[in-house]
């Protein structure tokens, strides 16, 4: 079986950002307007008054202080509260393809190859801006790549599932060099009028290049030791937006056409499941927790990650063992663990081992054990 290496990663960060205080000010202005506009109905008990959001709660409950977004003004306008992104003509590159290209250039540079060396493209993320043609085929075309491309979606686990697909393709010989890219515009499917979740997500794009080790030019990449995927149906994180919405017009704009979750249940159910998955995955590969230099975990919640790593290691982790990017980027769905890997991998020495792990809607979870080559 061929050995597969991650030879390059890339990160595109949007220029605009929103702090917790800015987001909360906009949400609270919406609440004040709503309550004033519904004063009589609230007084008579017909309508429930809305409650303010609070920056202090957000940081304590999640670890999030800031998020990057593709359009700040629409989100912060308390009469709009959604990103305002113009439709583009079919001849122009789509926004997700544009984000993908930016992240890809950085990944190619690290891998020391050009786009024409790639022979397969996977765009893997939690929402695609159109049904077809596939964004990945557009990326393939914009980069001048020969071969094939496809899109896939496993919500927050899209990147680790994408890595397993890419690895399997290289191992089987159906591709030699794969670009796996995650353009996440989470702000487009987040309900900024929902106090429980308005603070959770941000926008970003990550890219990963996986190659047959024999032909890789970057000899100090990260060998993939093994991958393990898990899924189990749950309604606790759900978004009912889809092509049949226009066939049920009365429900087309209901809240469930954006992200909804039972966050507390997700926290309780998913955290132990992920800790067990990582421990079992290590054991299957003859490894123990102390063999790990670092875990690059999905970035949904700081407390959740602390719980998982403590359960795997048996003690409180240092930042170096479990770096977080949540404070700056918030939850960027599938891109989160890859941002952490991208930003905190350069200090790895040859032979050191780590785990990239994602988890989220589905439920879905993916674990990727990597070891620095070279
Ligand atoms: N401001 C102030 N107070 C608040 C706020 C707020 N904004 N929101 C809630 N509160 C209050 C509540 O009313 C409650 O008050 P009380 O105790 O008086 O009833 C109190 O705070 C506690 O509320 P919760 O129990 O809801 O708070 P938690 O401590 O559970 O924290 C979290 C909420 C942060 C959401 C937490 O539960 C969490 O992070 N859970 C994990 C969720 C998770 O990992 N989800 C994965 C989702 S990502 C994914 O799968 C990808 C989906 C695709 C991407 C979608 C892009 C849009």
């Amino acid at each position: 079986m061929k050995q597969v290496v991650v030879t390059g990663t890339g990160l595109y960060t949007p220029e605009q950002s929103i702090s917790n205080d800015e987001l909360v000010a906009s949400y609270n202005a919406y609440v004040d307007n709503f309550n004033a506009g519904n004063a009589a109905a609230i007084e008579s008990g017909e309508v429930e008054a809305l409650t303010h959001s609070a920056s202090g709660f957000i940081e304590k409950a999640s670890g999030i202080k800031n998020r990057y977004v593709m359009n700040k003004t629409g989100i912060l306008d308390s009469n709009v509260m959604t990103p305002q992104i113009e439709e583009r003509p079919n001849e122009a590159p789509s926004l997700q393809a544009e984000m993908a290209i930016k992240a890809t250039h950085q990944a190619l540079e690290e891998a020391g190859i050009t786009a024409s060396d790639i022979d397969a493209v996977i765009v893997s993320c939690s929402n695609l801006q159109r049904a077809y043609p596939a964004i990945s085929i557009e990326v393939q075309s914009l980069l001048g790549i020969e071969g094939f491309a496809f899109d896939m979606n496993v919500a927050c686990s899209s990147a680790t599932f994408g890595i397993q697909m890419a690895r399997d393709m290289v191992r089987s010989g159906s591709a030699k060099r794969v670009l796996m890219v995650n353009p996440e515009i989470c702000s487009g499917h987040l309900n900024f009028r929902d106090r429980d979740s308005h603070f959770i997500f941000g926008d970003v794009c990550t890219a990963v290049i996986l190659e047959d080790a024999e032909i890789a030019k970057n000899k100090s990449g990260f060998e993939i030791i093994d991958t393990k995927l898990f899924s189990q149906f749950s309604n606790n994180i759900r978004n009912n937006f889809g092509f049949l919405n226009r066939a049920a017009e009365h429900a087309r704009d209901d809240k469930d056409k954006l992200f909804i979750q039972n966050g507390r249940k997700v926290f309780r159910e998913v955290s132990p499941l992920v800790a067990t998955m990582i421990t079992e995955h290590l054991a299957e590969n003859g490894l123990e927790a102390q063999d790990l230099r670092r875990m690059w975990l999905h970035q949904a919640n700081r407390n959740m990650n602390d719980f998982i790593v403590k359960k795997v290691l048996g003690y409180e982790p240092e930042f170096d063992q479990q770096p977080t990017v949540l404070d700056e980027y918030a939850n960027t769905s599938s891109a989160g663990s890859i941002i952490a890997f991208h930003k905190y991998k350069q200090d790895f020495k040859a032979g050191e081992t780590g785990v990239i792990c994602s988890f989220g809607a589905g439920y879905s979870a993916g674990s990727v054990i990597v070891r620095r080559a070279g």
Side-chain angles (χ1 to χ4, degrees):
M1 216 46 114
K2 288 178 189 303
Q3 180 61 51
V4 183
V5 270
V6 171
T7 52
T9 57
L11 170 65
Y12 162 69
T13 303
E15 282 164 23
Q16 301 172 39
S17 67
I18 300 178
S19 68
N20 284 350
D21 284 349
E22 288 175 294
L23 192 73
V24 165
S26 144
Y27 180 84
N28 290 349
Y30 154 72
V31 167
D32 293 342
N33 287 340
F34 177 91
N35 289 346
N38 292 282
I42 291 169
E43 181 73 29
S44 70
E46 278 167 65
V47 171
E48 204 174 320
L50 298 180
T51 315
H52 277 183
S53 180
S55 294
F57 167 83
I58 295 171
E59 193 177 333
K60 192 158 175 271
S62 68
I64 296 166
K65 298 180 189 168
N66 184 73
R67 71 281 298 141
Y68 294 99
V69 292
M70 297 307 287
N71 174 264
K72 177 173 178 167
T73 46
I75 293 169
L76 289 186
D77 182 335
S78 57
N79 294 312
V80 180
M81 298 182 86
T82 188
Q84 290 179 307
I85 298 167
E86 270 305 317
E87 274 197 3
R88 296 178 179 185
N90 288 355
E91 296 69 37
S94 66
L95 186 57
Q96 280 187 307
E98 207 169 74
M99 292 166 80
I101 303 286
K102 287 177 181 164
T104 298
H105 283 313
Q106 199 180 15
L108 287 170
E109 200 176 312
E110 190 188 1
I113 57 172
T114 60
S116 59
D117 294 317
I118 301 283
D119 51 11
V121 181
I122 303 173
V123 166
S124 194
C125 59
S126 52
N127 233 325
L128 291 151
Q129 71 176 86
R130 62 168 181 260
Y132 41 80
I135 301 289
S136 55
I137 301 179
E138 188 186 355
V139 171
Q140 176 193 0
S141 164
L142 289 167
L143 288 170
I145 292 171
E146 285 177 22
F148 64 95
F150 61 91
D151 293 350
M152 54 183 274
N153 172 4
V154 201
C156 284
S157 293
S158 297
T160 51
F161 275 59
I163 287 173
Q164 176 160 312
M165 293 309 108
R167 179 186 186 231
D168 288 351
M169 281 152 54
V170 174
R171 291 217 296 178
S172 71
S174 65
K176 288 188 169 62
R177 292 187 170 109
V178 184
L179 165 65
M180 195 286 302
V181 60
N182 323 103
E184 291 287 8
I185 311 180
C186 299
S187 62
H189 47 121
L190 178 57
N191 183 357
F192 287 97
R193 291 187 177 86
D194 176 32
R195 178 171 174 261
D196 288 345
S197 63
H198 75 115
F199 55 88
I200 294 181
F201 292 97
D203 303 335
V204 82
C205 182
T206 47
V208 179
I209 290 173
L210 299 103
E211 301 183 60
D212 175 350
E214 274 182 20
I215 61 165
K217 293 190 177 146
N218 175 4
K219 295 294 178 198
S220 58
F222 284 76
E223 286 170 22
I224 298 186
I225 304 300
D226 196 27
T227 59
K228 186 182 176 84
L229 307 181
F230 170 85
S231 54
Q232 176 188 290
F233 189 72
S234 168
N235 281 319
N236 286 328
I237 312 166
R238 197 164 168 124
N239 181 338
N240 286 330
F241 182 79
F243 75 99
L244 288 179
N245 294 159
R246 58 192 294 277
E249 211 176 326
H250 59 283
R252 209 165 52 184
D253 295 321
D254 287 356
K255 285 180 180 167
D256 68 337
K257 306 306 179 300
L258 293 167
F259 170 88
I260 44 171
Q261 75 165 352
N262 186 336
R264 186 127 290 212
K265 262 196 169 167
V266 174
F267 194 119
R268 286 215 193 106
E269 292 177 4
V270 173
S271 307
L273 190 151
V274 170
T276 304
M277 181 184 182
I278 295 174
T279 304
E280 285 178 0
H281 194 200
L282 291 173
E284 284 159 18
N285 286 277
L287 294 166
E288 291 178 12
Q290 59 263 33
D291 295 321
L292 292 181
R293 160 90 195 269
R294 189 166 292 158
M295 290 184 227
W296 300 278
L297 293 191
H298 175 50
Q299 303 286 310
N301 183 299
R302 185 68 210 257
N303 304 321
M304 203 169 177
N305 286 3
D306 286 347
F307 173 94
I308 292 166
V309 179
K310 194 175 164 194
K311 194 121 182 133
V312 173
L313 293 178
Y315 57 85
E316 295 283 350
E318 303 282 332
F319 180 92
D320 185 63
Q321 289 164 301
Q322 189 241 120
T324 185
V325 300
L326 263 172
D327 50 346
E328 183 183 352
Y329 283 87
N331 182 342
T332 51
S333 194
S334 68
S337 58
I338 307 299
I339 304 175
F341 179 63
H342 173 82
K343 286 176 89 91
Y344 296 98
K345 72 174 178 355
Q346 294 308 349
D347 59 341
F348 256 56
K349 297 186 188 70
E352 287 184 331
T353 306
V355 170
I356 303 170
C357 181
S358 68
F359 39 88
Y363 294 138
S364 59
S367 169
V368 180
I369 303 175
V370 293
R371 184 169 297 142
R372 184 121 212 192

